[in-house]
């Protein structure tokens, strides 16, 4: 089988190496690791092929990484969030920051999703769903994190930005998945499942929080 | 078992439904805060119960009044189109389809509107395929023809003219890369069931002219209505082919099909076909 443009099913030469390798070396994980590195490299080389797409992908990876770092640091600090001070203390700046972070999370999820779903493997699909669910949870957590100063004024803000975040995220992920251009219907179905997972997890979480708030 | 496309569209529909549920929850919560602050206190369970009720109302509004367009469907890239023509269904059709969805499945099957044609087999016979909308992925203009092609049917085999029986229509290819081949319309399953014969380059059409680079994915259609054969350009009323279709060297439009007669020459790309009615 040949490799398609956006990561359809393939049987690469690296996988053939594993078959010809000795049992002990495979058991040692050397070839598995090498194959994995090669595969990730090939995937990201493809993702970064077009300059604009590559720039967006790189920016989204960096932003997602930074937001994870910032989030974990803020959770450990006793004196409050970085979104209450400096430029980010202004509401529109927080909105822009949220849009960038939400977009980055969605784009990163789709990048990882494309990589994981490019081979027909149940374990990889499971990982793709886990990553997507984690992304949705992180996005929901980011809303609380970023809009903490505003939530006391209006609790509706969480819901409003959940909608904006999820909608924007699905739109971006769908764009990156290129469902209508993907030749293999099975891959389309799996990637559509990731979008569904993302939307359902985010929605369930937000509605649960709202209902808890209402009944509490 | 549904095929992968059906599953993909169903999953996208669920994603769209989830986003719509968020929108509805926002509406309920905003209303809750407005009432709480300005009027009087209402038991909390009322608001919790209000979410599914408003969701149902939202569903009705979206399906009937908004032509199936909602926030969720927009961001998921799905929309409702008429099953056969690919056009948006009319208000009455949308209403009938929506009512049928509610009656038959309590609203839940609407998550996969593609399942609707199965309901048409209901003995009451009150639903017809033309009423039922079909969710199809939104595609770019270049891919539109590919997505609006009817379901894959068995392809007509190229057979010699001598094999046909009386009352059949045969296309005899006279020029182009496929010159010398012949196709019998009735050998197509789609033609047998729907009276439609699709010619194009894309696999899945009834007569595949893949070697002709000037043929569109779905180039033209021959439809049998009553005793007459009609020729129309493209994949539907609003989807003409790129290079156009000719009948006896005169252009044929996608919107107004023309009646075919025995011996007519149909031109598509660099291919010319003679229609022989036996």
């Amino acid at each position: 089988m040949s490799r398609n443009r956006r990561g359809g099913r393939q049987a690469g030469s690296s996988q053939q190496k594993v078959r010809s390798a000795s049992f002990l070396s495979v058991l040692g994980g050397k070839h598995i690791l090498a194959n994995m590195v090669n595969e990730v490299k090939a995937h990201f080389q493809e993702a970064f092929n077009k300059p604009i797409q590559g720039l967006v992908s790189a920016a989204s990876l960096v932003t997602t990484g930074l937001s994870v770092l910032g989030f974990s640091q803020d959770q450990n600090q006793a004196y409050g969030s970085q979104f209450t001070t400096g430029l980010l203390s202004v509401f529109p700046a927080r909105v822009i920051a949220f849009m960038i972070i939400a977009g980055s999370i969605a784009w990163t999820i789709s990048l990882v999703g494309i990589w994981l779903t490019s081979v027909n493997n149940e374990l990889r699909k499971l990982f793709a769903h886990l990553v997507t669910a984690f992304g949705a949870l992180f996005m929901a957590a980011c809303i609380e994190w970023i809009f903490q100063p505003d939530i006391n004024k209006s609790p509706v803000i969480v819901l409003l930005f959940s909608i904006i975040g999820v909608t924007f995220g699905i739109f971006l992920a769908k764009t990156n998945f290129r469902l209508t251009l993907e030749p293999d219907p099975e891959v389309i179905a799996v990637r559509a499942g990731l979008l569904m997972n993302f939307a359902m997890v985010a929605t369930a979480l937000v509605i649960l929080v709202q209902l808890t708030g209402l009944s509490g | 078992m549904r095929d992968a496309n059906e599953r993909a569209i169903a999953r996208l529909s669920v994603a769209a439904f989830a986003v719509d549920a968020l929108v509805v929850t926002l509406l309920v919560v905003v209303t809750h805060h407005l009432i709480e602050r300005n009027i009087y206190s209402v038991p909390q369970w009322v608001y919790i119960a209000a979410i599914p009720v408003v969701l149902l109302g939202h569903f009705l509004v979206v399906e009937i009044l908004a032509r199936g367009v909602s926030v969720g469907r927009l961001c998921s890239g799905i929309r409702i189109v008429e099953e056969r023509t690919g056009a948006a269904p009319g208000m009455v059709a949308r209403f009938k389809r929506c009512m049928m969805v509610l009656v038959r499945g309590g609203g839940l099957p609407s998550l996969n509107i593609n399942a609707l044609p199965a309901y048409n087999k209901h003995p009451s016979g009150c639903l017809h395929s033309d009423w039922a909308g079909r969710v199809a992925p939104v595609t770019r203009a270049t891919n539109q023809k590919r997505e609006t092609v009817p379901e894959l049917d068995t392809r007509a085999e190229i057979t010699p003219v001598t094999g046909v029986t009386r009352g059949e229509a045969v296309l005899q290819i006279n020029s182009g890369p496929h010159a010398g081949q012949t196709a019998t319309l009735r050998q197509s399953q789609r033609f047998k069931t729907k009276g439609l014969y699709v010619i194009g380059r894309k696999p899945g059409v009834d007569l595949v002219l893949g070697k002709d680079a000037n043929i569109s994915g779905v180039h033209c259609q021959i439809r049998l209505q009553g005793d007459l054969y009609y020729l129309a350009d493209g994949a539907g009323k609003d989807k003409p082919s790129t290079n156009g279709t000719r009948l006896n060297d005169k252009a044929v439009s996608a919107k107004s099909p023309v009646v075919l007669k025995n011996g007519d020459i149909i031109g598509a790309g660099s291919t010319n076909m003679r229609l022989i009615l036996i």
Side-chain angles (χ1 to χ4, degrees), chain A residues 152-156 159-160 162-163 166-168 170-171 174 178-183 185-186 188-197 199-200 202-203 206-207 210-211 213-216, chain B residues 3-5 7-12 14-19 21-30 32-33 37 44 47-48 51 71-72 74-77 137-140 143 146-147:
Chain A
N152 292 334
K153 293 176 194 166
S154 172
V156 177
L159 196 50
L160 181 65
S162 299
I163 293 170
V166 172
T167 310
F168 187 52
I170 289 178
F171 178 75
K174 179 191 71 94
R178 301 188 177 197
L179 296 181
T180 51
L181 299 176
E182 173 61 45
E186 279 298 332
I188 295 175
V190 173
R191 291 178 185 173
L194 293 184
L195 288 178
M196 181 186 76
N197 185 15
M200 298 246 338
T203 304
V206 171
I207 290 181
Q210 288 298 324
L211 289 183
L214 279 176
S215 56
Chain B
D3 64 2
N5 273 334
R7 272 186 282 130
I9 294 167
R11 285 168 184 176
L12 286 175
V14 175
F17 188 76
V19 176
L22 269 182
V23 174
V24 164
T25 313
L26 175 70
L27 289 175
V28 172
V29 171
V30 168
H32 167 255
H33 284 289
R37 284 181 187 175
Q44 303 294 351
Y47 294 105
I48 295 171
I51 291 178
V71 176
L74 278 177
C75 73
S76 304
V138 172
T139 54
R140 294 176 184 180
N143 290 330
R146 190 178 71 179
E147 297 298 340

Side-chain angles (χ1 to χ4, degrees), chain A residues 7-10 39 113-120 124 191:
Chain A
R9 287 158 216 289
Q10 55 193 311
E39 199 187 316
I114 289 170
W115 168 53
L116 287 173
T117 56
S118 60
V119 175
N120 190 14
R124 291 174 69 126
R191 291 178 185 173

Side-chain angles (χ1 to χ4, degrees), chain B:
Chain B
M1 189 180 162
R2 290 173 298 168
D3 64 2
N5 273 334
E6 295 279 312
R7 272 186 282 130
I9 294 167
R11 285 168 184 176
L12 286 175
S13 300
V14 175
F17 188 76
V19 176
D20 287 339
L22 269 182
V23 174
V24 164
T25 313
L26 175 70
L27 289 175
V28 172
V29 171
V30 168
T31 315
H32 167 255
H33 284 289
L34 285 176
I35 294 174
E36 283 275 300
R37 284 181 187 175
N38 301 326
I39 307 173
Y40 57 89
S41 180
V42 177
Q44 303 294 351
W45 65 266
V46 173
Y47 294 105
I48 295 171
I51 291 178
V53 174
V54 179
L55 194 58
L56 182 68
H58 176 265
F59 169 73
L60 290 174
V61 169
V62 161
E63 293 298 328
I64 299 171
L65 298 178
R67 302 173 75 94
V69 177
S70 69
V71 176
R73 281 182 181 163
L74 278 177
C75 73
S76 304
I78 51 175
R79 65 192 167 99
I80 293 177
V81 294
E82 193 79 22
E83 193 189 6
R84 287 188 182 178
T85 61
M91 178 85 152
V92 177
R94 293 200 301 275
F95 179 76
K96 281 177 181 170
R97 184 174 59 75
C98 188
M99 287 301 112
M100 210 57 200
V101 165
L102 288 174
V103 171
R104 298 285 295 159
L108 288 177
S110 65
L111 297 180
N112 178 17
I113 297 174
N114 280 2
L116 269 177
Y119 300 154
N120 300 342
K121 294 166 188 166
H122 191 263
S124 66
C126 56
L127 257 184
H128 188 266
S129 295
D130 291 341
W131 297 354
R134 184 179 177 83
V135 177
V138 172
T139 54
R140 294 176 184 180
T142 48
N143 290 330
Q144 196 66 42
K145 290 185 204 96
R146 190 178 71 179
E147 297 298 340
T148 51
V149 176
E151 290 295 318
L152 198 70
D153 286 333
T154 48
R155 209 177 75 192
E157 289 176 10
I158 304 298
T159 52
V161 183
T162 50
V164 297
T165 58
R166 192 165 178 79
E168 286 187 345
V170 176
L171 282 172
Q172 196 175 49
I173 303 175
N174 298 327
S175 66
H178 296 271
Q181 293 179 346
T182 313
T184 308
L185 269 59
R186 283 194 195 280
Q187 285 188 347
S188 153
Q189 189 63 34
R190 189 188 347 245
F191 189 77
K192 280 182 196 167
T193 53
K194 297 180 180 176
L196 181 67
Y197 193 81
V198 183
I199 300 168
R201 195 152 52 89
K202 181 189 174 299
V205 300
D206 300 303
L207 179 56
V208 182
L209 301 172
K211 291 178 190 170
D212 189 342
N214 296 318
I215 295 273
S216 301
V218 176
H219 198 100
C220 59
Q221 303 175 344
I222 296 174
R223 187 180 286 276
L224 177 64
Q225 282 182 355
D227 294 334
L228 296 175
Y229 289 92
Y230 290 85
L231 174 71
D233 180 43
K237 278 182 182 176
D238 304 321
K239 296 166 188 66
S241 66
T242 311
N243 294 319
T245 306
R246 307 172 301 278
L247 178 65
N248 300 327
D249 283 335
K250 286 182 182 172
V252 176
S253 79
K255 288 184 179 174
S256 40
V258 291
V259 180
L260 290 170
K261 300 186 298 294
N262 187 24
D264 275 347
I265 304 286
I266 299 168
S270 52
T271 302
N272 281 324
M273 295 163 273
R274 182 184 293 277
L275 179 76
I276 303 169
L277 301 174
I278 303 169

Side-chain angles (χ1 to χ4, degrees), chain A residues 9-79:
Chain A
R9 287 158 216 289
Q10 55 193 311
S13 56
S14 54
Q15 288 179 346
Q16 287 167 4
K17 270 185 203 168
V18 174
R19 288 189 202 111
S20 62
S22 70
F23 177 72
L24 282 177
S25 64
V26 171
L27 207 64
K30 184 185 161 193
H31 290 283
I32 294 173
L33 198 66
N35 284 343
M36 203 169 155
V37 169
N38 283 341
E39 199 187 316
V40 171
K41 214 189 281 178
H43 167 65
F44 282 94
Q45 265 171 3
E46 229 170 89
F48 287 72
N49 247 348
K50 292 178 183 171
I52 294 174
Q53 196 186 334
L55 201 67
V56 172
S57 301
S60 68
L61 283 172
V62 170
T63 313
T64 308
L66 287 178
S67 56
V68 170
L69 277 177
F71 180 76
S72 54
Q73 274 185 359
D74 266 12
Q75 299 302 309
N76 296 331
Q77 284 171 358
Y79 51 83

